[in-house]
Amino acid sequence: MPPHDPTTTIPRPEPAAPSLPTFTGYRDLLGVVRQLSSLGGCAQPIRLEGQRTEIDAFTGEILRELKSKELPAGQLLVRCGNRRTTRCPSCAELYRQDTYHLIAAGLRGGKNIPDQVATHPRVFATLTAPSYGPVHGRRAGGSARCRCGRTHAKGDPLLGTPLDPERYDYTGAVLWNAHAPALWARFMLHLRRTIAAAAGVPQRLLSKYVRVSYAKVAEYQQRGLIHFHAVIRLDGPAGPYTPPPAWATPDVLADAIRISATRARIDGPEVNGRARAFVFGEQIDTRIIRSTAFQGGTAITEGKVAGYVAKYATKGTEAATGTLDHRLKRITDLWFESVPEHAARMIRTAWALGARDDLKHLNLRKWAHMLGFRGHFSTKTRAYSTTLGALRAARAAWQRRHTPPSSPTTLVLAHWAYDGAGLTPDLERLAALIGGGPTREQEVTTSAC
């Protein structure tokens, strides 16, 4: 046997080369690239099958015909339009930008809203949920210790979870989420009453002097409870087109918000021999919105408010609590999901409460993945500003103006059927290669709007 040489390199097998995607099945690869690029990075495009035919109404001649099976990808692909960043970052970013413009228009005008709204009283309010048991948290500045004796770092998975899960009121937390939309409606009722009392006019006549407009978003705290961020504005009798009376000042509005938030109350069901009632938490924040920069930490700008509100319009429970972004068909499906224990207990509590006949109207099983919350994440009054539908219509009108118009005598016949959502594995890889996959979320700067 030859002597061993310690410098000899031991031969190792070459790693297998990763299999490269093949696109030989597509007749027009360049056309597929163009079709994917037109999606703008949508992660879950809708696949449609069918056709669109343009016919001359007088001669019956077929002018143009589009068939899904003849398209480069074999189907018509359209953006999904999902607002959740966890499902489609690209469409969620578009939704966020639209929400930004919607909020900003109600603060400083534009989008058919007069510029004079910038002079109306405006307050940025945050209404939180009450406590249903002590949870792990970070104190002011992040330096003070939690009640557990530790100092939690930002992003610690323990943040928002109960100190004692066995004593935490999961039933109350889930039911509070379920009643949060009704509690907001009750708050708005009290707000109009309080403003009318401050003005010395009957509530039924308040609309002859002032109107209350708002836009709000719902956000999940780390503990899994909803709280609301809202821009609330006072207008004249004709809404944003008329100024409010002189007595309607920002301070009057801010005081009325605080008073109304403490008075709002919803009586709930009796569960396990305990009658439930739902109110807002003690942390009620009201900040007057100025058109200038921060002033001593008490005033905030229009652009910062619009950006802050829009940021939360695309987030759901999964962003704050790590829970699900889709519904459950069976509670046993939860076993196959990677969900933190705190969120899982809230989901199981919602599912169990959903079996009660006296709580059927809350549809808690349908909304168990939302921890019981069944309202819209972004809502506004009609007079606050433009609508998301109007913004989408303006975008579609712009596209039509840059598309060759059809003759006024052209008859269009179209039939499309839903075939599914998402791309095939090969198309997903191709979209990633050309940069047509999900895009990184970009901040909307106030200077851009």
PDB file of all heavy atoms in Angstrom, residues 46 51 61 79 88 90 112 127 152-153 157 210 226 230 237 261 286 330 345 382 385 400:
ATOM      1  N   ILE A  46     -55.597  36.291 -12.521  1.00  0.00           N
ATOM      2  CA  ILE A  46     -56.798  35.516 -12.818  1.00  0.00           C
ATOM      3  C   ILE A  46     -56.702  34.995 -14.249  1.00  0.00           C
ATOM      4  O   ILE A  46     -56.416  35.751 -15.181  1.00  0.00           O
ATOM      5  CB  ILE A  46     -58.065  36.380 -12.649  1.00  0.00           C
ATOM      6  CG1 ILE A  46     -58.106  37.001 -11.255  1.00  0.00           C
ATOM      7  CG2 ILE A  46     -59.307  35.560 -12.915  1.00  0.00           C
ATOM      8  CD1 ILE A  46     -58.110  35.996 -10.134  1.00  0.00           C
ATOM      9  N   GLN A  51     -63.604  34.476 -25.476  1.00  0.00           N
ATOM     10  CA  GLN A  51     -63.235  35.236 -26.659  1.00  0.00           C
ATOM     11  C   GLN A  51     -63.935  36.582 -26.683  1.00  0.00           C
ATOM     12  O   GLN A  51     -64.929  36.797 -25.983  1.00  0.00           O
ATOM     13  CB  GLN A  51     -63.586  34.465 -27.927  1.00  0.00           C
ATOM     14  CG  GLN A  51     -65.072  34.189 -28.102  1.00  0.00           C
ATOM     15  CD  GLN A  51     -65.359  33.358 -29.336  1.00  0.00           C
ATOM     16  OE1 GLN A  51     -64.510  32.608 -29.797  1.00  0.00           O
ATOM     17  NE2 GLN A  51     -66.557  33.505 -29.884  1.00  0.00           N
ATOM     18  N   GLU A  61     -69.357  42.141 -40.912  1.00  0.00           N
ATOM     19  CA  GLU A  61     -67.968  41.710 -41.064  1.00  0.00           C
ATOM     20  C   GLU A  61     -67.274  41.647 -39.698  1.00  0.00           C
ATOM     21  O   GLU A  61     -67.441  42.531 -38.864  1.00  0.00           O
ATOM     22  CB  GLU A  61     -67.224  42.686 -41.978  1.00  0.00           C
ATOM     23  CG  GLU A  61     -65.755  42.360 -42.144  1.00  0.00           C
ATOM     24  CD  GLU A  61     -65.004  43.446 -42.896  1.00  0.00           C
ATOM     25  OE1 GLU A  61     -65.644  44.459 -43.272  1.00  0.00           O
ATOM     26  OE2 GLU A  61     -63.781  43.285 -43.090  1.00  0.00           O
ATOM     27  N   ARG A  79     -54.952  41.072 -13.726  1.00  0.00           N
ATOM     28  CA  ARG A  79     -54.479  41.253 -12.349  1.00  0.00           C
ATOM     29  C   ARG A  79     -55.541  40.813 -11.348  1.00  0.00           C
ATOM     30  O   ARG A  79     -56.743  40.978 -11.581  1.00  0.00           O
ATOM     31  CB  ARG A  79     -54.120  42.726 -12.092  1.00  0.00           C
ATOM     32  CG  ARG A  79     -52.877  43.172 -12.841  1.00  0.00           C
ATOM     33  CD  ARG A  79     -52.681  44.669 -12.699  1.00  0.00           C
ATOM     34  NE  ARG A  79     -52.432  45.055 -11.320  1.00  0.00           N
ATOM     35  CZ  ARG A  79     -51.233  45.211 -10.784  1.00  0.00           C
ATOM     36  NH1 ARG A  79     -50.149  45.005 -11.516  1.00  0.00           N
ATOM     37  NH2 ARG A  79     -51.088  45.580  -9.528  1.00  0.00           N
ATOM     38  N   CYS A  88     -50.589  39.272  -2.703  1.00  0.00           N
ATOM     39  CA  CYS A  88     -50.053  39.851  -3.941  1.00  0.00           C
ATOM     40  C   CYS A  88     -49.460  41.221  -3.630  1.00  0.00           C
ATOM     41  O   CYS A  88     -50.185  42.218  -3.549  1.00  0.00           O
ATOM     42  CB  CYS A  88     -51.143  39.968  -5.008  1.00  0.00           C
ATOM     43  SG  CYS A  88     -50.516  40.619  -6.579  1.00  0.00           S
ATOM     44  N   SER A  90     -47.825  43.287  -5.445  1.00  0.00           N
ATOM     45  CA  SER A  90     -47.994  44.274  -6.505  1.00  0.00           C
ATOM     46  C   SER A  90     -49.380  44.921  -6.463  1.00  0.00           C
ATOM     47  O   SER A  90     -49.519  46.138  -6.468  1.00  0.00           O
ATOM     48  CB  SER A  90     -47.764  43.620  -7.870  1.00  0.00           C
ATOM     49  OG  SER A  90     -48.065  44.519  -8.916  1.00  0.00           O
ATOM     50  N   ASN A 112     -61.504  66.138  -7.656  1.00  0.00           N
ATOM     51  CA  ASN A 112     -62.842  66.746  -7.623  1.00  0.00           C
ATOM     52  C   ASN A 112     -63.260  67.210  -6.224  1.00  0.00           C
ATOM     53  O   ASN A 112     -64.440  67.486  -5.990  1.00  0.00           O
ATOM     54  CB  ASN A 112     -63.900  65.780  -8.173  1.00  0.00           C
ATOM     55  CG  ASN A 112     -63.657  65.439  -9.641  1.00  0.00           C
ATOM     56  OD1 ASN A 112     -63.262  66.307 -10.416  1.00  0.00           O
ATOM     57  ND2 ASN A 112     -63.897  64.203 -10.012  1.00  0.00           N
ATOM     58  N   LEU A 127     -58.567  54.992  18.114  1.00  0.00           N
ATOM     59  CA  LEU A 127     -59.407  54.378  19.149  1.00  0.00           C
ATOM     60  C   LEU A 127     -58.983  52.922  19.295  1.00  0.00           C
ATOM     61  O   LEU A 127     -58.960  52.170  18.317  1.00  0.00           O
ATOM     62  CB  LEU A 127     -60.887  54.467  18.772  1.00  0.00           C
ATOM     63  CG  LEU A 127     -61.413  55.857  18.394  1.00  0.00           C
ATOM     64  CD1 LEU A 127     -62.902  55.785  18.085  1.00  0.00           C
ATOM     65  CD2 LEU A 127     -61.147  56.862  19.492  1.00  0.00           C
ATOM     66  N   HIS A 152     -38.102  43.203  26.107  1.00  0.00           N
ATOM     67  CA  HIS A 152     -38.326  42.572  24.806  1.00  0.00           C
ATOM     68  C   HIS A 152     -37.742  43.422  23.683  1.00  0.00           C
ATOM     69  O   HIS A 152     -37.928  44.643  23.659  1.00  0.00           O
ATOM     70  CB  HIS A 152     -39.818  42.371  24.556  1.00  0.00           C
ATOM     71  CG  HIS A 152     -40.464  41.431  25.530  1.00  0.00           C
ATOM     72  ND1 HIS A 152     -40.252  40.076  25.505  1.00  0.00           N
ATOM     73  CD2 HIS A 152     -41.313  41.663  26.571  1.00  0.00           C
ATOM     74  CE1 HIS A 152     -40.938  39.502  26.469  1.00  0.00           C
ATOM     75  NE2 HIS A 152     -41.593  40.443  27.133  1.00  0.00           N
ATOM     76  N   ALA A 153     -37.060  42.770  22.776  1.00  0.00           N
ATOM     77  CA  ALA A 153     -36.564  43.453  21.587  1.00  0.00           C
ATOM     78  C   ALA A 153     -37.696  43.604  20.580  1.00  0.00           C
ATOM     79  O   ALA A 153     -38.686  42.879  20.618  1.00  0.00           O
ATOM     80  CB  ALA A 153     -35.416  42.649  20.967  1.00  0.00           C
ATOM     81  N   PRO A 157     -41.270  37.454  19.270  1.00  0.00           N
ATOM     82  CA  PRO A 157     -42.558  36.767  19.070  1.00  0.00           C
ATOM     83  C   PRO A 157     -43.444  36.745  20.303  1.00  0.00           C
ATOM     84  O   PRO A 157     -44.643  36.488  20.195  1.00  0.00           O
ATOM     85  CB  PRO A 157     -42.150  35.347  18.653  1.00  0.00           C
ATOM     86  CG  PRO A 157     -40.730  35.196  19.102  1.00  0.00           C
ATOM     87  CD  PRO A 157     -40.124  36.554  19.033  1.00  0.00           C
ATOM     88  N   VAL A 210     -73.500  71.870  10.051  1.00  0.00           N
ATOM     89  CA  VAL A 210     -72.205  71.205   9.900  1.00  0.00           C
ATOM     90  C   VAL A 210     -72.421  69.728   9.575  1.00  0.00           C
ATOM     91  O   VAL A 210     -73.431  69.138   9.982  1.00  0.00           O
ATOM     92  CB  VAL A 210     -71.361  71.353  11.189  1.00  0.00           C
ATOM     93  CG1 VAL A 210     -71.957  70.557  12.336  1.00  0.00           C
ATOM     94  CG2 VAL A 210     -69.923  70.947  10.968  1.00  0.00           C
ATOM     95  N   ILE A 226     -58.559  44.587  17.300  1.00  0.00           N
ATOM     96  CA  ILE A 226     -58.695  45.671  16.331  1.00  0.00           C
ATOM     97  C   ILE A 226     -58.604  47.027  17.033  1.00  0.00           C
ATOM     98  O   ILE A 226     -59.088  47.200  18.148  1.00  0.00           O
ATOM     99  CB  ILE A 226     -60.063  45.557  15.608  1.00  0.00           C
ATOM    100  CG1 ILE A 226     -60.005  44.457  14.543  1.00  0.00           C
ATOM    101  CG2 ILE A 226     -60.474  46.873  14.963  1.00  0.00           C
ATOM    102  CD1 ILE A 226     -59.140  44.797  13.346  1.00  0.00           C
ATOM    103  N   ALA A 230     -58.539  57.029  12.215  1.00  0.00           N
ATOM    104  CA  ALA A 230     -59.537  57.753  11.424  1.00  0.00           C
ATOM    105  C   ALA A 230     -59.142  59.206  11.243  1.00  0.00           C
ATOM    106  O   ALA A 230     -58.595  59.845  12.159  1.00  0.00           O
ATOM    107  CB  ALA A 230     -60.909  57.671  12.093  1.00  0.00           C
ATOM    108  N   PRO A 237     -72.763  72.785   5.494  1.00  0.00           N
ATOM    109  CA  PRO A 237     -73.977  72.036   5.137  1.00  0.00           C
ATOM    110  C   PRO A 237     -73.867  71.276   3.819  1.00  0.00           C
ATOM    111  O   PRO A 237     -74.490  70.226   3.654  1.00  0.00           O
ATOM    112  CB  PRO A 237     -75.059  73.115   5.071  1.00  0.00           C
ATOM    113  CG  PRO A 237     -74.528  74.232   5.904  1.00  0.00           C
ATOM    114  CD  PRO A 237     -73.049  74.211   5.749  1.00  0.00           C
ATOM    115  N   ALA A 261     -65.908  58.876  22.405  1.00  0.00           N
ATOM    116  CA  ALA A 261     -65.256  57.566  22.506  1.00  0.00           C
ATOM    117  C   ALA A 261     -65.461  56.944  23.884  1.00  0.00           C
ATOM    118  O   ALA A 261     -65.574  55.721  24.011  1.00  0.00           O
ATOM    119  CB  ALA A 261     -63.772  57.703  22.198  1.00  0.00           C
ATOM    120  N   THR A 286     -56.045  61.812  20.026  1.00  0.00           N
ATOM    121  CA  THR A 286     -56.570  62.766  19.045  1.00  0.00           C
ATOM    122  C   THR A 286     -55.490  63.791  18.736  1.00  0.00           C
ATOM    123  O   THR A 286     -54.921  64.398  19.650  1.00  0.00           O
ATOM    124  CB  THR A 286     -57.824  63.490  19.569  1.00  0.00           C
ATOM    125  OG1 THR A 286     -57.519  64.142  20.806  1.00  0.00           O
ATOM    126  CG2 THR A 286     -58.963  62.511  19.790  1.00  0.00           C
ATOM    127  N   ARG A 330     -62.701  23.820   7.832  1.00  0.00           N
ATOM    128  CA  ARG A 330     -62.862  22.987   9.021  1.00  0.00           C
ATOM    129  C   ARG A 330     -61.834  23.433  10.046  1.00  0.00           C
ATOM    130  O   ARG A 330     -60.723  23.823   9.689  1.00  0.00           O
ATOM    131  CB  ARG A 330     -62.665  21.505   8.680  1.00  0.00           C
ATOM    132  CG  ARG A 330     -63.688  20.929   7.720  1.00  0.00           C
ATOM    133  CD  ARG A 330     -63.290  19.534   7.272  1.00  0.00           C
ATOM    134  NE  ARG A 330     -62.031  19.576   6.536  1.00  0.00           N
ATOM    135  CZ  ARG A 330     -61.940  19.804   5.224  1.00  0.00           C
ATOM    136  NH1 ARG A 330     -63.039  20.002   4.511  1.00  0.00           N
ATOM    137  NH2 ARG A 330     -60.767  19.823   4.629  1.00  0.00           N
ATOM    138  N   ARG A 345     -55.434  30.127  19.469  1.00  0.00           N
ATOM    139  CA  ARG A 345     -56.456  30.051  20.514  1.00  0.00           C
ATOM    140  C   ARG A 345     -57.606  31.003  20.223  1.00  0.00           C
ATOM    141  O   ARG A 345     -58.774  30.679  20.494  1.00  0.00           O
ATOM    142  CB  ARG A 345     -55.839  30.348  21.878  1.00  0.00           C
ATOM    143  CG  ARG A 345     -54.909  29.259  22.361  1.00  0.00           C
ATOM    144  CD  ARG A 345     -54.484  29.444  23.796  1.00  0.00           C
ATOM    145  NE  ARG A 345     -55.596  29.237  24.733  1.00  0.00           N
ATOM    146  CZ  ARG A 345     -55.431  28.972  26.027  1.00  0.00           C
ATOM    147  NH1 ARG A 345     -54.205  28.868  26.525  1.00  0.00           N
ATOM    148  NH2 ARG A 345     -56.469  28.808  26.814  1.00  0.00           N
ATOM    149  N   ARG A 382     -69.514  59.212   2.409  1.00  0.00           N
ATOM    150  CA  ARG A 382     -69.610  59.535   0.989  1.00  0.00           C
ATOM    151  C   ARG A 382     -68.997  60.898   0.669  1.00  0.00           C
ATOM    152  O   ARG A 382     -68.374  61.083  -0.381  1.00  0.00           O
ATOM    153  CB  ARG A 382     -71.076  59.511   0.560  1.00  0.00           C
ATOM    154  CG  ARG A 382     -71.300  59.754  -0.916  1.00  0.00           C
ATOM    155  CD  ARG A 382     -72.767  59.613  -1.272  1.00  0.00           C
ATOM    156  NE  ARG A 382     -73.254  58.274  -0.952  1.00  0.00           N
ATOM    157  CZ  ARG A 382     -74.518  57.887  -1.103  1.00  0.00           C
ATOM    158  NH1 ARG A 382     -75.424  58.757  -1.536  1.00  0.00           N
ATOM    159  NH2 ARG A 382     -74.892  56.664  -0.804  1.00  0.00           N
ATOM    160  N   SER A 385     -64.296  62.252   0.358  1.00  0.00           N
ATOM    161  CA  SER A 385     -63.457  62.516  -0.820  1.00  0.00           C
ATOM    162  C   SER A 385     -63.929  61.633  -1.960  1.00  0.00           C
ATOM    163  O   SER A 385     -65.066  61.150  -1.956  1.00  0.00           O
ATOM    164  CB  SER A 385     -61.979  62.269  -0.511  1.00  0.00           C
ATOM    165  OG  SER A 385     -61.724  60.894  -0.359  1.00  0.00           O
ATOM    166  N   ARG A 400     -57.895  53.828 -22.029  1.00  0.00           N
ATOM    167  CA  ARG A 400     -58.716  53.876 -23.248  1.00  0.00           C
ATOM    168  C   ARG A 400     -58.288  55.012 -24.160  1.00  0.00           C
ATOM    169  O   ARG A 400     -58.315  54.875 -25.388  1.00  0.00           O
ATOM    170  CB  ARG A 400     -60.196  54.021 -22.885  1.00  0.00           C
ATOM    171  CG  ARG A 400     -60.822  52.752 -22.335  1.00  0.00           C
ATOM    172  CD  ARG A 400     -62.331  52.855 -22.321  1.00  0.00           C
ATOM    173  NE  ARG A 400     -62.790  53.921 -21.429  1.00  0.00           N
ATOM    174  CZ  ARG A 400     -63.058  53.759 -20.142  1.00  0.00           C
ATOM    175  NH1 ARG A 400     -62.919  52.563 -19.592  1.00  0.00           N
ATOM    176  NH2 ARG A 400     -63.479  54.769 -19.409  1.00  0.00           N
TER     177      ARG A 400
END
